[in-house]
Amino acid sequence: MRINRILLSAPLVVVALIIQVSILGRLQLPGAVPDLLLLVVLGLALVHGHVAGALVGFFAGLLADLAPPSDHAIGRYALVLCVIGYVAGLTKPDSGQHRSATLPLMVVIGAAIGSTLMYAGVGSLVGDTAARHVGLVGLLLSATLYDLLLAPFTVPLVMALARRTEHDSVVGDGSPSPSGTATRDSAYGWLTTGTGLKASRGAMKSARAKAHIGSQRGGLLGKSARDKVGRIKGVKRL
């Protein structure tokens, strides 16, 4: 990952985890807890791609596994977010930007359902049967509903910050970007226009100089011709 991506991802993940643990986790909502950390990983993966999404998801999940009051096996949520970040990053278009909000919305719904199922599945493998007591269907419905309510306020903001960082990194690497190319082309256009004006002025000056030299030559030729005629006439007179 690039340095600017790490500098953006780390604060977003830490802030999301603090809000989720200190505020969202204490709301005592029925069913699942709103997963703000998942939405941040999705926003970054939708812009940076599957590799960055997997890495961000893994470290974000590992941080959540270590943060109190975590009561599950370490690495459980890291595995879930790593897979979710990788799959979400695969939906990144070749142009780098989504044409509509339909695909990110579908990604949020699929991630909410997939993360809940994976978390419960991994828990059953390690002996955690809490999902069975709460009710898997209730967890799926509540997790999807809460994530959909938080997504319009979280995912677009994270994606906008990630795109801005991506644009800055492209410009910093010296690679052409659309806005940078337009600016550079406009700058070149101004330079070209200025050169054309200078060239036209130089051509006008050159033409004037040639005309002036031509008039001088014409005057000299006319004077010499008149002198010759005068001499011929003088000879004839003599």
Side-chain angles (χ1 to χ4, degrees), residues 76 120 128-136 139:
R76 180 178 173 184
D128 186 1
T129 60
R132 296 179 181 178
H133 299 289
V134 177
L136 186 59
L139 286 176

Side-chain angles (χ1 to χ4, degrees), residues 220-235:
L220 293 175
L221 291 175
K223 184 177 179 181
S224 61
R226 287 193 297 270
D227 294 339
K228 289 181 179 179
V229 172
R231 287 198 297 270
I232 293 173
K233 289 182 179 180
V235 171

